[in-house]
């Protein structure tokens, strides 16, 4: 199991990380190059972009599961996408009791 106290310093903040036990096998980089990158001087892999969508998270989880040294860690990401921020201006476009058609009819009346 990956050690969160031994994370590679290049990992970007977020739930996924590689610790320093990486043996540079290249499996995670082959499977998910959009998240994992090689640190050439040290000869190990780190997470340079966190997955966001459910599909990306599933791919990162697959990379975690195939890692022969259990170097990839996950500090709590779920398969649920992150919530998108609410925009107060668009949240109230329609009142709960008013359908879009009723609103359109109301606006066209002078």
């Amino acid at each position: 199991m990956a050690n969160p106290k031994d994370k590679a310093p290049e990992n970007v903040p977020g739930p996924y990380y590689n610790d320093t036990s990486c043996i540079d096998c290249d499996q995670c980089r082959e499977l998910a190059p959009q998240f994992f990158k090689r640190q050439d001087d040290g000869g190990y892999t780190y997470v340079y972009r966190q997955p966001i969508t459910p599909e990306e998270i599933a791919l990162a989880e697959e990379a975690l599961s195939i890692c022969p040294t259990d170097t990839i860690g996950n500090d709590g990401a779920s398969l649920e996408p992150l919530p998108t921020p609410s925009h107060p201006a668009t949240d109230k476009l329609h009142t709960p009791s008013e359908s879009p058609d009723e609103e359109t009819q109301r606006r066209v009346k002078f």
Side-chain angles (χ1 to χ4, degrees), residues 7-17 46-51 75:
K7 293 179 182 180
E10 294 85 359
N11 288 304
V12 296
Y16 288 93
Y17 63 91
Y46 62 95
V47 175
Y48 77 96
R49 184 175 85 74
Q50 293 289 331
D75 285 345

Side-chain angles (χ1 to χ4, degrees), residues 79-91:
L79 293 177
E80 295 297 318
L82 298 173
T84 54
S86 175
H87 297 288
T90 58
D91 287 347

Side-chain angles (χ1 to χ4, degrees), residues 14 26 31 34 36 80:
D26 198 32
L31 178 66
Q34 62 270 52
F36 300 98
E80 295 297 318

